[in-house]
Amino acid sequence: MKDFKIITVDQVGIGDRVSRITKRSVKNEAKIHGLRMALNMIDLTTLEGADTINKVKQLCYKGMHLHDAYPDLPTVAAICVYPNFVGLAKEQLKGSGINVASVATAFPSGNSSLEVKITDTKMAIDAGADEVDMVISRGKFHQGEYNYVFDEIAKIKETCGKNVRLKTILETGELGSLDNIRRASDIAMHAGSDFIKTSTGKISPAATLPVTLVMLEAIKDYYYETGIQIGMKPAGGISNSKLALQYLMLVKETLGDKWLTNQWFRFGASSLANDLLMQLEKQRSGNYQSKDYFSKD
Amino acid sequence: MSKKETKLNLKSNWDLAPSLESTSHVKLKNKYDLFIGGKWVKPSSGKYFDTINPATEEKLASIANGNKKDVDLAVKAARKAYDTTWSKLSGKERGKYIFRIARIMQEKAKELAVVETLDGGKPIRESRDIDIPLAANHFFYYAGWADKLDYAFPNRNPKSLGVAGQITPWNFPLLMAAWKIAPALACGNTVVLKPAETTSLTTLLLAEIIEEAGLPAGVVNIVTGAGDTGAEIVNHSGIDKIAFTGSTGVGKIIQNAIAGTDKKITLELGGKAANIVFEDAPLDQAVEGIVNGIFFNQGHVCCAGSRLLVQESVYDIVLRKLKDRMESLIVGNPIDKNTDIGAINSKSQLDTINHYIKLGKEEGAEIYQPEGKLDKKGYWCKPTLFTGVAQSNRIVQEEIFGPVLAIQTFRTIEEAITKANNTPYGLSAGVWTDKGSKIFNMTSQLRAGIVWANTFNKFDPTSPFGGYKESGFGREGGLHGLEAYLSFEN
Amino acid sequence: MSRIEVLKTYKMYIGGKFPRTESGRYYSLKNTKGEEIANMCTGSRKDFRNAVVEARKAFELWSNRTAYNRSQILYRIAEMLEGRKAQFIDELMQIGSTKKQAENEVFTSIDRLIYYAGWADKYQQISSSVNPVSGPYFNFTIQEPTGVVAVIAPEENGLIGLVSTIAPIIVSGNSCIVLASESKALCSVSFAEVVNSSDVPGGVINILTGNAEELIPHFSTHKDVNSMLYCGNDKKATQLIKENSTTNLKRIVVKKDIDWMKNENESPYFITKFTEVKTTWHPIEKIGASGSGY
């Protein structure tokens, strides 16, 4: 494994940069463009113990028909479910162009053997998953066993093969510092992840702007170093349009146009879509909207 | 692994639409008179000059041109106010007046920010988030000192000086007026202040606020005009103290002019700060600090980090990150909320900056500016880097006062310290490293009045500001800032 | 037969050495009866220039010593002076002091050295501050020595004038070049000998003798001198010094009408007149504090 130079991050400095970006004012056509982009970048997600066949079906329908009252809306990027619902989702989404993403590797804790994690991953892939969202072993990370973490990611990527994209969840809320988030990002990218992702959604804090900025900077450095483009997925806690646009502004100013597509940037979210839709309707009609007019699935 | 083409497209297709701050609530007068003895009086010469918006070159208002006679009136008004009211008030009562000023400034913050931006060219983001809140905070901070001076200087029996003559610069018009007026009043002095001629408006609005706050007539007097008006203040025999912020050249002239008198003086002058980046620094935050250090307020900042010193091992990466960051800087209409770099304050300052850019090129330095178009009207300068410069380049030695950064490299701590201190100035310095002991080594070796470690261009009313060597003497801000407006028994 | 006395040669003190003036000039110092008692060096522009070079070198070393060390060295000067007090009393009497006055001046000088020795590791504690800025930054303000300080010592006093000006200047880490009282220069050279045997690094204290009017223009225009103390009442000289200070914005301190024998003229605020105020900022990470995260 590569000998990772520790790249340090100053939290206050990150905060300064984030606050510069969040003060960007996104209005009118720029706002509409941003809202549409954000919709198209959503991994519409349900990851509950209580998930059922009908819940997943409804979610898939929503992903394809976000708000039929509004013409020419994009769809979401993917539907994200547990491995046992992958087959169902795949079938529901047939022909829609929407991917199926599955969490795997003993999600959300990641506390299991490598064998089980590989089996879990295989199960999702065999059922037709286009993307796998794995979790890293945070315990091993805290024990300083970076090679273990690296090797595990590399093995899962090997299981995924070329065609299934691997999104590696760092569970940043458990890593304890921005320095660690940077280090985990570097490990995940070097080990072969296609995406790095902040959170499972099960731990608070989930995605934040400072954490995302740290990860975007890591992606940028890796890109310059290797020429390999890595995607970014903040997940959890992004539920309104203003925040989503701020995330996109981070991407715009850190990585630029190449990343402003759902090939390279995703939001892991469940309730964000409706807020984006409300804002789009507001832009179109000029009236502030009520949640009662948008379907909740 | 073969390296692929790596180029980021940071000039995104997703352009931000114009987002202009509303100016409808701002009601400027056509003509501003002098504020003397609590009244608005016409200049004795009857003459006015125009103040323009440097982003559009359009006239904003006429400003009275004060002369010797006006200054004399103002000093007499200030003396009268000092003798009859202000010096007789208890500290507590003085403080309450100053608190009032702070509060009204907060209430009118939006208006002040918009006018500051229209008159001076700085981005509304900065006047809204930095200049105006800090200015109000200064009044708030010093108001609280007015009745506590004995605690600041125990056993020294602090006494006010009398009439303070104050001359402020055009780069932070309202903030510098606050830096000067607030401690002067808190210490029991009265004031005659002259703002810079290109940016008088917010100081005049401050005079209106002071009027509204009900301060006794003559405690604060504003005499607008150019350098010759300032000279009348400096040379007036009724002035007990001079406080000047501006160029080192003018500061020396002032010091010379009052050499034969007992006037107290504080000078806050130029700078050519080194911003030093070590290889173990948090580099992305360092880059943000570099950008904030030199492009804040178009580089019209005396403590700007105008010399970047980068350790050679990370030079390439820092330069690349810096250039990337500069791609996303928006140069343009200062009143647009998304603007990062506004208009250069005046035609003459633009000429000075362009002169140095030309000089840099002639000296053989390599120039870098991001792509993009500038408006035809107004005074603009792109953020500019010079690489391949030596310590002996004039763009490394002289204060440019614009968005122009000269980048040098170093190998060792010793070399960094030597280069950083190798200047007649000593206002500020920056150092970026993750190692605590190295920070303290650097901060103790750097001969500068303000050292920002792992940050840059931060200001606060509680934090003393001022320079070593030819950057001036005396401090503004904090407890130390009180000392400039008091006399002591020992 | 009475013994022939060995007369003392009065030289100057530059960089820890005792050179004669490079100019070869001298002036006669007379006692109260008008008898010549010594040939003093008339220090020149070049002597001053040499002294500044030494002072600059010494500043780097001296200002990096610990405050405790500087304190002990000032105390050491006092100890040495105490040991040689008889000589100083004698010298002061030669130039016109009564025995009582001379004793008083020497004892006050010794005590003053001890007074300032005690401040070395304390003056910062009453003049520095930690500033509660409204943001996540640790911000503190400390004093640092200004650098090389040129001093025109008071003409009226011999020893006490020297001690009262040198001690507060060097205690913070400055180095100095002092022009001793022209008419009362006798003990200035003896004081240099005390300094030289007191662990004070060479160049921290440089003592010249000569004529103030001649040297003031050079003291005040030298660009490697950071600060200047003028003790005297001459208005024209004061104005000239202030005007000349603009060559490099020297910090000018003027002390007029001071009775240096009085305790009220010793003060920590005299120390801080020869210091610069430095403020340092550093971010404070907010992780783990209540209600904060990343």
Side-chain angles (χ1 to χ4, degrees), chain B residues 272-277 287 290-291 294-295 305-312 314-316 318-323 326 365-368 384-391 393 395-396 400 404-410 419:
Chain B
K272 192 75 188 176
N275 201 357
I276 305 163
V277 179
V287 166
I290 295 164
V291 166
I294 185 62
F295 302 130
S306 51
R307 292 187 291 146
L308 175 61
L309 294 169
V310 186
Q311 196 153 23
E312 274 197 46
V314 290
Y315 173 72
D316 290 339
V318 168
L319 191 63
R320 187 196 75 211
K321 283 173 182 286
L322 181 56
K323 285 179 176 176
M326 285 164 71
E366 197 180 318
I367 186 172
Y368 172 82
T384 304
L385 302 183
F386 276 110
T387 53
V389 295
Q391 192 73 13
N393 279 85
I395 52 169
V396 171
I400 299 173
V404 182
L405 179 65
I407 309 180
Q408 293 171 272
T409 59
F410 67 91
K419 281 182 168 163

Side-chain angles (χ1 to χ4, degrees), chain A residues 17 24 253, chain B residues 10-11 324-330 340:
Chain A
R17 180 73 187 108
R24 288 290 191 217
E253 297 211 353
Chain B
L10 291 157
K11 283 267 182 259
D324 276 351
R325 178 68 181 88
M326 285 164 71
E327 288 292 317
S328 57
L329 291 173
I330 299 171
D340 295 301

Side-chain angles (χ1 to χ4, degrees), chain B residues 204-240:
Chain B
L204 293 162
L205 295 187
L206 176 61
E208 292 178 352
I209 288 170
I210 286 169
E211 217 180 351
E212 190 179 333
L215 263 75
V219 170
V220 175
N221 304 274
I222 308 292
V223 182
T224 45
D228 48 346
T229 313
E232 297 299 344
I233 294 176
V234 169
N235 293 320
H236 198 289
S237 59
I239 296 278
D240 300 296

Side-chain angles (χ1 to χ4, degrees), chain C residues 2 154 256 260:
Chain C
S2 64
K256 53 182 177 186
W260 293 103

